Amino acid sequence: MKFRRLGREGPEVSAIGMGRGATPVQYDTPLETDFNASIARGLELGINHFDSGDDYWDGRHEVLLGRALGKQRRDVLVTSKFGNVTLSDGKKGANGRPDYLRQCCDISLKRLGTDVIDIYYMHRVDQTVPIEETIGAMGDLVRAGKIRHVGVCETGVNTLRRAHAEHPVTVLQTEYSLWARDVEDGILSACSDLGIGFIGYAPLGRGLLTGKIRTVDDIPEGDRRHRHPRFQDKNLEHNMKLVAGLESVAASIGATPAQTALAWVLAQGDFIVPIPGTNRVANVDLNVAAAELELPSDTLSKLSDLFKPGSGAGTRYNESQLKGMGL
């Protein structure tokens, strides 16, 4: 396994991390067995970076991850998040109040079964609370020994700079893939300038870039992706034409579309780490192998041209959710 440092002062992590899988896992079910096996396989292959969040599967993901890691928790880097909340009307909101942050951190520590969270993220920007207040309180948690590093998610450049000025931000996490390249408009360069690592979630476009989703019928019933515009109606039909091009490139180099897409992300900067999510051992093997795949410059250019920013159809979230991102 290859490793990369998160920012100038951050920890070294495996070039491929593990995010949350798309399919929610319930306790004591066959899916939990698959989840445990995927974590175990990741550990065997050298993955040392496991991502979670307090709102993932209503908190179950933190518990399941803590269970699956067991005693090996001390050998790896575990992250979690706070502040992405569901409001009474079912819409998404953000809560960056220091008192709420401290409460969430204690709950996540208990769920994960650990005494420290390696990277703790502000999951969404709360526009009602100055960023300095939230990040300052996160700095207090560092000094208290409850978290090791401060992270932010889905922030804009100005907010990132203000946050970093209040307390060093180790890493920014935002969606990044061939299909979703918004962060190339200022965010990646800001991270590079400030010495902040970048974690790209959904590096496979939430499964879009695997080539395994051809129609909406390929998405399980109840799956949240039914609500994502990229998978709806004519949008998916258009996006599959782009994926066909990816499949052609992948075939020409003897790799899978998913591996090719991950290798492209890795090639965009040595401070960038993708965290594909899966609950399947076979996918863990394929994802880890992508870290060894070095794409020729002409292949990188071909993929970048194929997936030019704005070439995909549909937004990555619905309109109401997008209002809370890039702030």
Side-chain angles (χ1 to χ4, degrees), residues 49-64:
H49 174 202
F50 297 85
D51 186 73
S52 191
D54 67 354
D55 68 325
Y56 292 172
W57 306 339
D58 297 321
R60 290 195 310 280
H61 188 271
E62 289 181 319
V63 176
L64 290 165

Side-chain angles (χ1 to χ4, degrees), residues 252-297:
S252 72
I253 60 173
T256 69
Q259 289 174 322
T260 305
L262 288 173
W264 180 89
V265 171
L266 286 165
Q268 304 312 303
D270 59 9
F271 63 97
I272 298 172
V273 175
I275 51 169
T278 184
N279 300 325
R280 305 296 182 188
V281 168
N283 290 340
V284 176
D285 287 352
L286 292 171
N287 292 344
V288 168
E292 303 297 326
L293 181 61
E294 295 189 13
L295 301 180
S297 58

Side-chain angles (χ1 to χ4, degrees), residues 177-294:
S177 70
L178 274 167
W179 187 86
R181 298 174 60 182
D182 313 53
V183 295
E184 293 176 3
D185 185 18
I187 285 292
L188 292 183
S189 59
C191 286
S192 180
D193 291 345
L194 295 169
I196 295 172
F198 181 87
I199 299 297
Y201 75 81
L204 299 178
R206 298 191 182 277
L208 182 71
L209 300 175
T210 66
K212 296 178 181 178
I213 297 175
R214 300 290 178 179
T215 70
V216 293
D217 293 333
D218 295 324
I219 303 173
E221 185 177 351
D223 192 298
R224 62 181 291 186
R225 286 175 289 185
H226 284 288
R227 303 192 299 273
H228 289 205
R230 78 187 78 174
F231 294 105
Q232 294 172 358
D233 305 323
K234 295 295 183 180
N235 290 342
L236 181 57
E237 183 179 329
H238 172 89
N239 290 328
M240 287 314 303
K241 294 177 183 177
L242 299 178
V243 174
L246 169 62
E247 291 174 322
S248 177
V249 172
S252 72
I253 60 173
T256 69
Q259 289 174 322
T260 305
L262 288 173
W264 180 89
V265 171
L266 286 165
Q268 304 312 303
D270 59 9
F271 63 97
I272 298 172
V273 175
I275 51 169
T278 184
N279 300 325
R280 305 296 182 188
V281 168
N283 290 340
V284 176
D285 287 352
L286 292 171
N287 292 344
V288 168
E292 303 297 326
L293 181 61
E294 295 189 13

Side-chain angles (χ1 to χ4, degrees), residues 28-253:
D28 303 318
T29 64
L31 277 179
E32 183 179 357
T33 300
D34 292 341
F35 178 92
N36 292 340
S38 70
I39 298 296
R41 185 56 175 160
L43 290 166
E44 288 175 2
L45 294 175
I47 292 177
N48 76 337
H49 174 202
F50 297 85
D51 186 73
S52 191
D54 67 354
D55 68 325
Y56 292 172
W57 306 339
D58 297 321
R60 290 195 310 280
H61 188 271
E62 289 181 319
V63 176
L64 290 165
L65 179 59
R67 284 185 184 181
L69 290 174
K71 292 181 179 179
Q72 289 181 277
R73 162 39 192 136
R74 59 179 175 266
D75 302 320
V76 301
L77 182 145
V78 173
T79 81
S80 195
K81 309 174 186 72
F82 80 97
N84 189 5
V85 299
T86 301
L87 305 176
S88 58
D89 60 2
K91 294 181 180 180
K92 300 299 291 186
N95 190 335
R97 298 195 313 273
D99 57 341
Y100 180 73
L101 153 66
R102 290 187 286 269
Q103 176 186 356
C104 289
C105 183
D106 287 341
I107 293 172
S108 287
L109 286 167
K110 185 175 181 179
R111 285 177 179 157
L112 288 163
T114 187
D115 58 357
V116 62
I117 298 170
D118 296 291
I119 299 176
Y120 198 44
Y121 291 97
M122 177 188 68
H123 206 168
R124 293 291 185 270
V125 176
D126 184 348
Q127 297 183 77
T128 70
V129 179
I131 191 65
E132 290 80 5
E133 283 189 27
T134 304
I135 298 300
M138 295 178 77
D140 291 340
L141 291 178
V142 173
R143 288 182 283 275
K146 292 188 175 183
I147 68 176
R148 291 195 170 102
H149 299 278
V150 170
V152 296
C153 298
E154 296 283 2
T155 66
V157 172
N158 182 55
T159 300
L160 178 63
R161 291 186 182 279
R162 288 172 56 196
H164 193 58
E166 179 66 28
H167 184 280
V169 173
T170 299
V171 64
L172 167 66
Q173 183 176 147
T174 296
E175 182 171 355
Y176 187 38
S177 70
L178 274 167
W179 187 86
R181 298 174 60 182
D182 313 53
V183 295
E184 293 176 3
D185 185 18
I187 285 292
L188 292 183
S189 59
C191 286
S192 180
D193 291 345
L194 295 169
I196 295 172
F198 181 87
I199 299 297
Y201 75 81
L204 299 178
R206 298 191 182 277
L208 182 71
L209 300 175
T210 66
K212 296 178 181 178
I213 297 175
R214 300 290 178 179
T215 70
V216 293
D217 293 333
D218 295 324
I219 303 173
E221 185 177 351
D223 192 298
R224 62 181 291 186
R225 286 175 289 185
H226 284 288
R227 303 192 299 273
H228 289 205
R230 78 187 78 174
F231 294 105
Q232 294 172 358
D233 305 323
K234 295 295 183 180
N235 290 342
L236 181 57
E237 183 179 329
H238 172 89
N239 290 328
M240 287 314 303
K241 294 177 183 177
L242 299 178
V243 174
L246 169 62
E247 291 174 322
S248 177
V249 172
S252 72
I253 60 173

